[in-house]
Amino acid sequence: MSPIESVGIVGGGLMGSGIAEVSSRAGIPVTLVEISAEAADQAQSRIEGSLRRAEKRGKIEAAEVEDVLARISFTDALEQLAQCDLVVEAASENEQVKLDLFRRIGPMLEKEDAILASNTSSIPIVKLGAVSGRAGRVMGIHFFNPAPVMKLVELIPSLTTSPETKSRVATFVEDQLGKQAIEATDRAGFVVNSLLVPYLLSAIRMYEAGYASAEDIDHGMVLGCGHPMGPLALCDLIGLDTIRAIGASMYDEFKEPLYSPPPLLDRMVEAGLLGKKSAQGFYPYK
Ligand code: 3HC
């Protein structure tokens, strides 16, 4: 089984940029595709900012920052992915967008054993495999935000993923990237979001109902339960649009009311208050 020697990333948002950074830091050349040259530039600045922060904290040498950046090429042309060993789709959490990408990228990959993965946390992997024309070589690889810091990656083989694909991806994640993998079945939310999302949505409902201020809800969980950050600050970090999309997919799958996005979350997303990435969510950001 050959190691992954080139990685393609589709989408340079929070997750795509983070996965590109992690892969390049593991010494693997990365091609990051965005929808426009401007979006590709933004992804580049995001990665550079994260690396500079890591440098300031003594996690990486200045010279290595340059090497990591030099190993990533940024483009708006999907065809640049043709020669990759592994492509990780990290576009927005929207089923139609992902299906369209899998339909287009699947036939584009020139290597017979190339793997096409999704960083989705709630859209069925089996559906993405079915439209790609290479279902045996499609699976879910779900990273956590911020990807350079979070140790966990969820691996989600679907009913049609081949055992070779599964073990090649597990080796990539654990031996090449140095992350800890857990395996989950192809059900919306997998392990972590099935537990995390109802908690985050409950915090929003609590705030919406006026139980307590955002600060007090967050202090409650940080100081009372030892969480690294409170639920509303975490919503802002993940992005309120992403939380709403994940909750909606999980609700579609299970019809469990706790997964259903509360009205305040809908209104905030409609108003463009998306959290840290839009400089305003439950809290303001610079
Ligand atoms: N590379 C390497 N290390 C980095 C880094 C980078 N690019 N950026 C930061 N770090 C390191 C820092 O050096 C620091 O390490 P140290 O403690 O050894 O000095 C550590 O990461 C923490 O960084 P900061 O000190 O800058 O920040 P905080 O201490 O305030 O922690 C946080 C920030 C890591 C975000 C922390 O608050 C946390 O763990 N929050 C919870 C995040 C979480 O739950 N994520 C999962 C979200 S769910 C998800 O993503 C799934 C999706 O489907 C929704």
Side-chain angles (χ1 to χ4, degrees):
M1 200 175 49
S2 53
I4 299 294
E5 287 174 349
S6 51
V7 170
I9 308 283
V10 182
L14 286 177
M15 294 311 298
S17 300
I19 302 166
E21 179 184 329
V22 169
S23 303
S24 178
R25 282 172 80 167
I28 307 167
V30 174
T31 304
L32 189 153
V33 185
E34 253 295 357
I35 44 164
S36 64
E38 194 192 6
D41 284 348
Q42 282 169 6
Q44 185 162 12
S45 310
R46 188 175 290 121
I47 295 172
E48 187 163 359
S50 167
L51 288 166
R52 295 290 171 210
R53 271 196 307 282
E55 184 193 339
K56 256 196 211 135
R57 305 289 296 261
K59 301 277 164 178
I60 186 170
E61 297 293 324
E64 205 190 331
V65 170
E66 299 307 327
D67 291 347
V68 171
L69 286 170
R71 261 194 302 275
I72 309 175
S73 54
F74 296 86
T75 175
D76 58 0
L78 217 47
E79 307 79 55
Q80 300 281 324
L81 298 172
Q83 281 300 318
C84 289
D85 287 339
L86 167 70
V87 172
V88 183
E89 169 279 314
S92 54
E93 194 69 0
N94 175 308
E95 187 166 320
Q96 284 319 313
V97 170
K98 289 187 192 285
L99 286 172
D100 180 52
L101 283 167
F102 273 67
R103 222 175 259 124
R104 289 166 65 200
I105 300 168
M108 232 176 237
L109 299 179
E110 288 174 9
K111 292 187 185 167
E112 181 57 31
D113 61 352
I115 296 170
L116 178 52
S118 177
N119 182 57
T120 181
S121 48
S122 58
I123 291 166
I125 305 299
V126 78
K127 279 195 186 174
L128 301 176
V131 298
S132 72
R134 51 191 311 116
R137 283 147 295 153
V138 166
M139 78 180 257
I141 309 182
H142 183 218
F143 288 79
F144 293 83
N145 184 10
V149 180
M150 294 292 140
K151 296 267 178 290
L152 186 76
V153 175
E154 287 178 317
L155 302 183
I156 308 97
S158 80
L159 288 175
T160 49
T161 304
S162 72
E164 295 74 34
T165 299
K166 194 173 119 175
S167 60
R168 194 167 178 217
V169 167
T171 304
F172 164 71
V173 165
E174 297 199 309
D175 298 351
Q176 293 187 253
L177 301 187
K179 298 283 190 190
Q180 170 77 48
I182 60 173
E183 191 176 317
T185 50
D186 187 14
R187 299 287 182 275
F190 315 136
V191 172
V192 174
N193 280 344
S194 293
L195 297 169
L196 179 66
V197 170
Y199 157 67
L200 297 180
L201 297 179
S202 299
I204 298 173
R205 281 190 199 96
M206 181 177 258
Y207 174 67
E208 184 172 28
Y211 272 45
S213 66
E215 289 80 1
D216 282 356
I217 291 170
D218 280 355
H219 283 147
M221 297 311 289
V222 172
L223 303 177
C225 296
H227 288 198
M229 65 204 303
L232 299 174
L234 183 53
C235 288
D236 279 355
L237 177 75
I238 295 169
L240 302 195
D241 50 343
T242 301
I243 305 225
R244 178 168 76 157
I246 299 171
S249 296
M250 288 170 60
Y251 181 74
D252 263 6
E253 179 130 310
F254 297 105
K255 305 295 179 284
E256 160 59 59
L258 279 174
Y259 298 155
S260 170
L264 176 63
L265 179 58
D266 287 338
R267 293 299 98 77
M268 289 178 76
V269 173
E270 284 149 8
L273 306 175
L274 306 181
K276 221 170 166 181
K277 64 182 159 190
S278 73
Q280 178 72 51
F282 291 100
Y283 300 98
Y285 299 87
K286 283 204 186 112

